[in-house]
Every structure is written in structure tokens, then in C-alpha cells.
Amino acid sequence: MADARVARARAVTFDYGQTLAELDHDFLAARVRIFGGELDAQASRAAGTVAWEAYGAAKSLGHAAAWKRMMHEFLRAGGLRPSFGAAPPDFAEQMVQELWLAQPAVNLWRKPIPGMFELVHELVAQSIPVAVISNSEGRLAELLAELGEEKPFRVIVDSGRLGIDKPDARIFEHTARALDLPLSEIVHVGDAWEADVMGAARAGAQAVWFAPVDQRALPRGVVSARDATELRSVLLEDFGLGLENRA
């Protein structure tokens, strides 16, 4: 039986970063090396919680500023150092800027999260419309094409092209219009509490918080899932998505 807090949905929208794909720290270390630095990818990877907290704290300054704050934390944790010689005082700032300028063409978020793209394909095979809503740098469609994963998505909404960032309700409303569905019949899946969960909820959509277990209370219309397997169950059981549940 579906959770009383949620209603049946007819389409699913996904955040991209940390939902469909995550930061590839080995790739990040390789990019840092191109720009004259060295980075411990394993140590950088371990700083995920702190780095994303920095992103959230700076989100009000805009996506670019928040991205740079987050990247500073990853580089600091990874022990960023120059490949040769002593580090200038602003070495970290220079590296962050180089990575940011290259990000639209060489996106660092390219490591698929296990099972997520497979779930997208399963939904599409069941004639369920899917879309992406991402705070990105303007070339998300190209990145998905590079990964061979652009075709399943009926709509790809990139804040860098639209000029509106989550959690602004207008980005969710734009997507709903493109899907030709009311927001109340869309469930949005994302890892960011404010941008994805609260943004979708305030806009009138339902939401799945794609995150590790957290003790905070979830508002009506919101459930949580820790991985692709749990998300599949939530979409089927809580939101009624699946061939066996469709008229």
C-alpha cells in the first residue's frame, strides 16, 4: 500500500550530481595533474560530507561560488600540492579557478552511481517519462551524450542554460510544462535537502531524498532512499510507478 503521505506519480525527474553520477576523484586528480598539481584521490573522496556542507552554506551566493567553496574543501582534504617547487600562496585558488573554467567542457561529475542509470532505463521501458533538473554549468546535455545516457531523458533542464537555479520553483514549473504534467504528478529525486527536496516540495511536486539515513522529519510528499535498490522500491510502492500499477 502506498504511503499515506504521498500520492501516485506519473513522471520522475532526477537531479544529476550525486544522484545519477558523482564526482570522479581519480579523474579530478588527473585534471589537477594537468594543471601542475598533485592530489590524493582517496583522501579527497573522504571529504565528501564537509565539501557538500560548504556547498550548501554558500549556495545563496550562487552556483559558481558554492561550487568553488566545495572544490576548495576537496583539494584541501586531498593535500593539494604543486608537482614541482614550492606552492605560491594562492595555489589552491588558482587550481579551483582552472577547474571551474574547464568544468563546462570537462565535467568532473562523470562517475555513474551504481544502479541509477539502469533504473532510468527501466522507467523509460515502462513508458514512464523521466527528466533531469540540475544546477549545472550549461553543458549537461553534452555530458550525458558523452556518457551515452542522454536518450532516455525526455527533458534535460540545465540551470546554466535556463538561468534559474534550484530551489527556485520556476525551474520545476518549467520542467512540468515541458513534460505536460502538473507538478503534483511528478516526483523529483535528489540528494540536496534545500535545492532538491524543499525546492520540489515548495513548487508543488513530490520528492525522494536520495541520501543516507537522516533523523530529520520528512514533510508530507517526501520519502527517502539510500541507493538505487531502495529508490526502485519507493517509486513502485510509495508512488505507484510500475507497469503492474498502471492502468
Side-chain angles (χ1 to χ4, degrees), residues 143-165:
L143 174 61
L144 285 165
E146 183 181 343
L147 298 176
E149 295 290 355
E150 84 283 11
K151 291 182 180 179
F153 298 103
R154 187 170 297 185
V155 183
I156 298 172
V157 180
D158 182 336
S159 69
R161 289 189 176 176
L162 185 63
I164 305 170
D165 287 349

Side-chain angles (χ1 to χ4, degrees), residues 57 72 89 122:
H72 268 288
E122 182 180 352

